[in-house]
Amino acid sequence: MDSSQFYVVLLLSIFMGVCLASPIKDQKRDRITKLPGQPKNVKFAQYSGYVTVNEQAGRALFYWLVETPASDGPSSRPLVLWLNGGLGCSSIAYGAAEEIGPFRISSDGNSLYLNPYSWKNSHQICIQQVTKEQKFISGHYVPQLAQIVYQKNKGIKDPDINLKGVLVGNAVIDDYHDYIGTFEYWWVHGLISDATYRMLGIACDFGSSQHPSEQCLQALILATVEQGNINPYSIYTKPCNDTTSLRCSLGGRYPWMSRAYDPCTERYSVLYFNHPEVQKALHANVTGISYSWKTCSDIVGDYWADSPLSMLPIYQELIEAGLRIWLFLYICCGDTDSVVPVTATRYSVDALNLPTIINWYPSMIMARLVGGWSQVYKGLTLVTVRGAGHEVPRHRPRQAFILFRSFLENNKSHLYIYIYIFIGVLIILQLYGFSFSFLPFVDFLLIRIMGCSQFYVVLFLSIFVGICLASPIEDQKRDRITKLPGQPKNVKFAQYSGYVTVNEQVGRALFYWLAETPASHGPSSRPLVLWLNGGPGCSSIAYGAAEEIGPFRISPDGNSLYLNPYAWNNCKGICHPQQCFGLSLLHVLIFLLLCSAVANVLFLESPAGVGFSYSNSTSDLYTAGDQRTAEDTYTFLVNWFERFPQYKHRDFYIAGESYAGHYVPQLAQIVYQKNKGIKDPDINFKGFLVGNAVTDDYHDYIGTFEYWWVNGLISDATYRMLGTACDFESSEHPSDKCFQALSLATVEQGNIDPYSIYTKPCNDTASLRHRLGGRYPWMSRAYDPCTERYSVLYFNHPEVQKALHANVTGISYSWKTCSDIVGDYWADSPLSMLPIYQELIEAGLRIWVFSGDTDSVVPVTATRHSINALNLSTIVNWYPWQHDSEVGGWSQVYKGLTLVTVRGAGHEVPLHRPRQAFILFRSFLENKYMPLPPS
């Protein structure tokens, strides 16, 4: 018998000894009377103590049993054995004290409080202190123990240990697939560089991770450095201290990971369980162990003897056994864990080649929110938990409790799937001509890209007409905003808004809003930044100005405004009073220096038909496209600079996001080409900045579908279907098969906010608004947080429109955040912006591309694939940039382009991570690297 088998036999013996066959007197002796610091009115019984597993060697294991409350009938409830992994980590430290146990430990390490989502509330739990990390090596312990129990029970009609199933989370299963899935997860989430990803693939022998080569160790060290000071067990949460990611041990079986998750709660358990009175109450440390109680044993972990490369053969045996003895398996994964990520689990489960009973679907929690995703195979159920890290019950306790309840009840979690199957059938039927007026959200699937005749008009004469018609200075004075309704007091910066005509003949005019820097910051010396939102067909006033980088935010009542502390025309966000209070003089001086990097920001609603921008020719709304938008915007700039001559020759930048990934480089190309040969151009264009930008159809498709699968948003079957059915060379006219695959993906994703996959959507239909017509059929053209609703209320007030000098022609329709007509009838859209990037990079312009890494609409993978296609040489390799001593994201500097990711941000980076976005903007203006980690 090898040491692994010997160890699981020991686990079996303690399980039998403690939970089934302990003498009554030993049971009474083990009864916990009261724990120090325990809250009042504890109505459940607890037992703890030792069970000897080897008399000769004097080897004994410690357990803690928590029964359900007496009122719930503990005698009729099942028994669950919980094991944490490591190797060498304590199930008391993690499972009991942080995850599913009855209590949580207060930060002082002296008192306890009840865990409202304790699993003992429904069933009794026997927690066994085994061996190091969370529960991921339990991915070995659990199936190995289950195999022994199953084999011992063979032929016994009514076995003492009546094993019914196993449940494992973020579990180490198979070395080969764990390696592949982990490295892919790191790259897809922007945690490592392209070079390191390639190096890991070449240097690490996927067949055996027990003894990694020197080259593999080197690659893993580089990956650790590139990831920076994040919490690898929950990549979007703040680590407890600055050394969390630096504790990774590169020895042992899984050399990329340290063996202990170190939230601050771990510190509290060390304090609590080392109190002598606690140990006495628990009947622990009866032999007076010479060392302090620790969450994990370095000795056990470092000297672990044997570890099979794969648990898949055991899973296969147990699944086959389940057909005869009603054994069912659940595997769950928190999808923000980078140590044993969801991709590793999906690859391992796929390797079992199990037939599917219920395909991938979003599982629901209270208020019809997506709690994660699930797929039911023959003999095994896979569940992901959205937004959870390595310790699922710690990060998403309610969802974990629902998962546990569903596991015990076997299949009750699938009740909601029939709703989604029904919706999916309706969607597919509508694709083939059926209509269901009672489901208006399905109508988006009927939209097709219509063949529009190309309508290109050269508009340069309108430049001169606009100049001659009115005095520029008088127009500027007329556009000055005196005060906006609901505006806060003490606004110290100037604002202008109004119309600039771009085509006199048809009466086409674009609406703008300029927010200058405060007078104290010298607006006359600051650069000018033009901000564009995409869609196509969405308003830069609605999004850029009102939600992201503008001077104000709109209150929920839609009647009043408040200052945006992170406005790009103002530096208050770097150190407003609440932040500066208590800081040292040095820190305040640093913040004041940072205030120098602000700009005058110009928001433009483009093309005509978007927001307040209009055309007297209705046909213009049905014939807009990339080329005319770029030409009109350039005409706007020329005329606007005549109205504001003080901005001529000033440094000028263009910025935007989403489909502005087309607008921005196309406009930049026109400005660059028009400026050729001019020594001191009026429009002194210096560079551009784009975020979560549509760039190249081919790579956007590949990167988006990959992101969906890696994050567990779609099934294996749909992922394969998307790759087969969708022509990556052209997304402008997707086939019916591609539509069908995209509709299935939408159903499988469920009611999440696709623009920020870990945040709560504003309403239950957020993800059902996806328009499958148009150029990018997987995405709606507007991010719909509740803030969008506030802007619709505010900008439709007549007094607001009057103050903004807007709607002067009395447009027949209400102001909207996005124009469906403009978006639905978009005429032309080139397949790729990469040729423009190449031209502008060669011209030496400053180009920065940024990406929020929780956006599934234009995800970070799409951006990385597109940039890689440029084949640029690297100046500064992938590194974690810093924000308040934690990782703000990652960056790589290429020759001619800088890529920046923003950790935890969605599609609208300045909305989700405003401070990090301001730091990014400041670095762009100063043309400096993103803040480097301390050396």
Side-chain angles (χ1 to χ4, degrees):
M1 180 182 295
D2 62 27
S3 59
S4 177
Q5 291 173 320
F6 182 70
Y7 187 73
V8 292
V9 169
L10 295 183
L11 290 178
L12 178 59
S13 65
I14 184 176
F15 189 83
M16 295 175 64
V18 173
C19 302
L20 296 170
S22 293
I24 298 300
K25 62 178 182 180
D26 290 343
Q27 182 182 135
K28 290 180 178 179
R29 183 192 63 210
D30 287 355
R31 177 75 182 256
I32 297 173
T33 306
K34 183 180 180 182
L35 290 173
Q38 176 179 301
K40 296 179 180 179
N41 299 319
V42 170
K43 300 180 183 299
F44 50 86
Q46 305 175 73
Y47 301 83
S48 62
Y50 288 94
V51 172
T52 299
V53 294
N54 189 303
E55 288 283 352
Q56 185 176 356
R59 193 159 57 240
L61 302 183
F62 182 80
Y63 79 93
W64 182 3
L65 171 66
V66 182
E67 293 190 329
T68 58
S71 59
D72 293 331
S75 61
S76 64
R77 301 290 181 175
L79 178 66
V80 176
L81 173 66
W82 176 274
L83 301 174
N84 279 89
L87 310 152
C89 285
S90 164
S91 301
I92 306 299
Y94 298 103
E98 289 188 359
E99 299 185 81
I100 67 167
F103 304 115
R104 291 281 188 268
I105 302 171
S106 300
S107 57
D108 60 6
N110 294 320
S111 59
L112 306 173
Y113 58 97
L114 289 171
N115 172 14
Y117 295 104
S118 171
W119 288 10
K120 60 82 190 165
N121 290 336
S122 294
H123 305 87
Q124 44 208 2
I125 303 170
C126 185
I127 297 173
Q128 156 69 40
Q129 184 151 317
V130 195
T131 37
K132 194 171 181 176
E133 203 53 82
Q134 279 18 285
K135 53 185 174 292
F136 60 80
I137 293 294
S138 286
H140 276 217
Y141 298 165
V142 170
Q144 287 171 328
L145 176 59
Q147 182 186 44
I148 290 181
V149 175
Y150 160 67
Q151 291 174 348
K152 296 288 185 183
N153 282 349
K154 275 185 177 179
I156 302 175
K157 186 176 181 180
D158 187 21
D160 290 344
I161 304 177
N162 187 22
L163 177 65
K164 291 294 185 182
V166 298
L167 171 68
V168 289
N170 291 79
V172 169
I173 297 174
D174 178 87
D175 281 20
Y176 179 83
H177 296 100
D178 288 345
Y179 255 141
I180 292 175
T182 299
F183 300 159
E184 181 176 2
Y185 186 94
W186 291 352
W187 185 85
V188 165
H189 287 81
L191 307 184
I192 60 173
S193 67
D194 301 333
T196 299
Y197 185 38
R198 288 191 296 268
M199 188 185 302
L200 288 165
I202 295 169
C204 295
D205 177 8
F206 291 168
S208 173
S209 61
Q210 194 163 6
H211 300 287
S213 65
E214 288 297 326
Q215 292 88 344
C216 182
L217 283 175
Q218 183 178 353
L220 291 165
I221 291 170
L222 284 175
T224 302
V225 172
E226 288 175 352
Q227 288 172 26
N229 183 37
I230 64 168
N231 181 350
Y233 298 89
S234 179
I235 62 175
Y236 298 119
T237 57
K238 184 176 180 179
C240 185
N241 56 48
D242 290 346
T243 60
T244 301
S245 70
L246 302 178
R247 296 177 300 103
C248 293
S249 168
L250 294 185
R253 182 171 178 278
Y254 278 83
W256 65 77
M257 60 187 170
S258 67
R259 288 190 301 277
Y261 175 63
D262 185 21
C264 296
T265 49
E266 179 183 332
R267 300 178 179 179
Y268 315 152
S269 65
V270 172
L271 292 172
Y272 185 78
F273 291 116
N274 275 301
H275 288 312
E277 61 272 23
V278 171
Q279 295 181 1
K280 182 178 180 180
L282 285 169
H283 321 118
N285 197 12
V286 292
T287 59
I289 299 170
S290 60
Y291 46 85
S292 298
W293 180 91
K294 294 174 64 177
T295 57
C296 297
S297 167
D298 292 324
I299 294 175
V300 171
D302 292 343
Y303 290 92
W304 196 257
D306 63 294
S307 180
L309 297 180
S310 180
M311 294 293 102
L312 294 181
I314 297 179
Y315 276 90
Q316 290 168 329
E317 177 184 355
L318 297 179
I319 288 169
E320 291 172 5
L323 299 177
R324 300 189 297 272
I325 63 168
W326 193 59
L327 183 141
F328 54 94
L329 300 171
Y330 259 51
I331 298 177
C332 66
C333 300
D335 60 11
T336 66
D337 173 26
S338 72
V339 177
V340 187
V342 61
T343 32
T345 301
R346 294 191 76 174
Y347 277 124
S348 294
V349 171
D350 286 348
L352 289 169
N353 292 314
L354 302 173
T356 296
I357 295 175
I358 300 176
N359 201 10
W360 201 259
Y361 69 95
S363 55
M364 310 304 290
I365 59 172
M366 188 176 178
R368 295 187 63 198
L369 295 176
V370 173
W373 289 265
S374 181
Q375 181 152 337
V376 182
Y377 300 91
K378 188 175 183 180
L380 182 147
T381 297
L382 172 63
V383 180
T384 73
V385 181
R386 185 164 72 106
H390 194 71
E391 290 182 288
V392 171
R394 171 161 156 59
H395 293 105
R396 291 292 185 269
R398 180 177 176 79
Q399 289 90 321
F401 189 90
I402 293 171
L403 183 156
F404 177 59
R405 185 192 64 215
S406 301
F407 164 72
L408 289 176
E409 295 173 354
N410 195 18
N411 293 335
K412 291 287 182 68
S413 66
H414 310 317
L415 293 176
Y416 285 100
I417 189 172
Y418 300 106
I419 298 171
Y420 285 91
I421 291 174
F422 176 65
I423 293 172
V425 170
L426 291 179
I427 288 172
I428 294 170
L429 286 173
Q430 276 208 238
L431 285 172
Y432 292 96
F434 295 91
S435 179
F436 303 95
S437 59
F438 58 89
L439 284 176
F441 69 84
V442 181
D443 291 341
F444 71 87
L445 294 167
L446 299 177
I447 296 173
R448 292 291 187 270
I449 301 172
M450 301 187 66
C452 300
S453 59
Q454 293 188 347
F455 183 70
Y456 302 139
V457 179
V458 179
L459 301 170
F460 302 118
L461 288 176
S462 65
I463 299 171
F464 303 101
V465 173
I467 293 173
C468 297
L469 283 176
S471 165
I473 300 301
E474 288 302 314
D475 288 347
Q476 182 184 141
K477 290 180 180 178
R478 185 189 62 211
D479 287 355
R480 178 74 182 257
I481 297 173
T482 307
K483 184 180 180 182
L484 290 173
Q487 177 180 301
K489 297 179 180 179
N490 299 319
V491 170
K492 299 181 183 298
F493 50 86
Q495 304 174 74
Y496 300 82
S497 62
Y499 288 95
V500 172
T501 299
V502 295
N503 188 300
E504 285 285 348
Q505 186 176 355
V506 298
R508 194 159 64 239
L510 302 184
F511 182 80
Y512 79 92
W513 181 2
L514 170 67
E516 292 191 326
T517 61
S520 60
H521 295 309
S524 61
S525 63
R526 302 294 179 179
L528 176 68
V529 175
L530 172 67
W531 177 271
L532 302 172
N533 278 88
C538 288
S539 164
S540 300
I541 305 298
Y543 297 103
E547 289 187 0
E548 299 185 81
I549 66 169
F552 303 114
R553 290 281 188 269
I554 302 171
S555 299
D557 61 7
N559 295 320
S560 59
L561 306 173
Y562 59 97
L563 287 172
N564 172 14
Y566 296 102
W568 285 11
N569 75 313
N570 201 340
C571 69
K572 289 182 180 294
I574 286 294
C575 184
H576 53 76
Q578 294 92 332
Q579 289 177 311
C580 289
F581 181 77
L583 292 176
S584 68
L585 178 61
L586 176 61
H587 279 89
V588 172
L589 289 173
I590 291 173
F591 289 141
L592 291 174
L593 289 173
L594 293 175
C595 287
S596 63
V598 290
N600 305 289
V601 183
L602 176 64
F603 301 95
L604 178 65
E605 291 188 310
S606 177
V610 174
F612 292 123
S613 295
Y614 68 89
S615 175
N616 292 332
S617 175
T618 304
S619 64
D620 280 353
L621 277 62
Y622 294 86
T623 54
D626 277 24
Q627 183 167 335
R628 194 175 74 199
T629 298
E631 291 172 349
D632 275 6
T633 305
Y634 179 72
T635 302
F636 165 84
L637 284 176
V638 173
N639 291 347
W640 188 89
F641 274 93
E642 291 301 321
R643 186 175 299 182
F644 289 82
Q646 67 267 34
Y647 282 97
K648 289 183 177 181
H649 316 297
R650 190 95 57 92
D651 286 357
F652 173 68
Y653 301 93
I654 308 171
E657 69 190 11
S658 194
Y659 196 79
H662 276 217
Y663 298 165
V664 170
Q666 288 169 331
L667 177 60
Q669 183 185 43
I670 292 178
V671 175
Y672 162 67
Q673 291 176 347
K674 295 290 184 182
N675 282 350
K676 274 186 177 179
I678 301 175
K679 187 176 182 181
D680 188 20
D682 290 347
I683 306 176
N684 187 21
F685 181 51
K686 294 295 185 181
F688 68 81
L689 172 71
V690 287
N692 290 80
V694 172
T695 304
D696 177 88
D697 282 18
Y698 179 84
H699 297 100
D700 287 346
Y701 255 141
I702 291 174
T704 299
F705 300 159
E706 182 179 7
Y707 186 92
W708 291 351
W709 186 84
V710 166
N711 283 278
L713 307 185
I714 59 172
S715 66
D716 301 335
T718 299
Y719 186 37
R720 290 191 294 269
M721 188 186 302
L722 288 165
T724 304
C726 296
D727 179 6
F728 290 169
E729 294 296 341
S730 173
S731 61
E732 193 165 359
H733 300 285
S735 66
D736 284 342
K737 288 184 178 180
C738 184
F739 269 112
Q740 184 177 351
L742 291 165
S743 67
L744 286 174
T746 302
V747 171
E748 288 175 351
Q749 288 172 24
N751 183 38
I752 64 169
D753 182 347
Y755 297 86
S756 179
I757 63 175
Y758 298 118
T759 56
K760 181 180 177 181
C762 184
N763 55 49
D764 287 348
T765 61
S767 71
L768 302 177
R769 296 178 303 101
H770 285 253
R771 309 184 64 86
L772 293 186
R775 181 169 177 284
Y776 279 82
W778 63 77
M779 62 182 175
S780 68
R781 288 188 304 277
Y783 175 62
D784 186 21
C786 295
T787 48
E788 180 183 332
R789 299 178 178 180
Y790 315 152
S791 65
V792 172
L793 292 171
Y794 185 79
F795 291 115
N796 275 301
H797 288 312
E799 61 273 24
V800 172
Q801 295 181 1
K802 182 178 180 180
L804 285 169
H805 322 118
N807 197 12
V808 293
T809 60
I811 300 171
S812 60
Y813 47 84
S814 298
W815 180 92
K816 293 174 65 178
T817 57
C818 296
S819 167
D820 292 325
I821 295 174
V822 170
D824 293 344
Y825 290 91
W826 198 254
D828 61 294
S829 179
L831 299 179
S832 180
M833 294 294 102
L834 296 182
I836 298 178
Y837 274 84
Q838 290 168 327
E839 177 184 353
L840 299 181
I841 287 169
E842 291 174 5
L845 293 169
R846 186 183 311 166
I847 299 174
W848 281 41
V849 178
F850 65 94
S851 181
D853 62 10
T854 66
D855 173 28
S856 72
V857 177
V858 188
V860 62
T861 35
T863 301
R864 295 190 78 173
H865 280 302
S866 294
I867 289 177
N868 286 343
L870 290 168
N871 292 314
L872 302 173
S873 56
T874 296
I875 295 174
V876 179
N877 202 5
W878 200 259
Y879 69 94
W881 62 271
Q882 296 297 114
H883 155 66
D884 285 348
S885 300
E886 63 177 288
V887 173
W890 289 265
S891 180
Q892 181 154 339
V893 182
Y894 301 90
K895 187 176 182 180
L897 183 147
T898 296
L899 171 63
V900 180
T901 73
V902 182
R903 185 165 72 104
H907 192 69
E908 291 182 282
V909 170
L911 172 64
H912 294 103
R913 292 292 186 268
R915 182 174 170 82
Q916 290 89 323
F918 190 95
I919 293 170
L920 186 155
F921 178 58
R922 183 196 68 217
S923 300
F924 167 74
L925 288 181
E926 296 177 349
N927 199 24
K928 294 180 178 178
Y929 299 152
M930 294 299 290
L932 293 164
S935 57

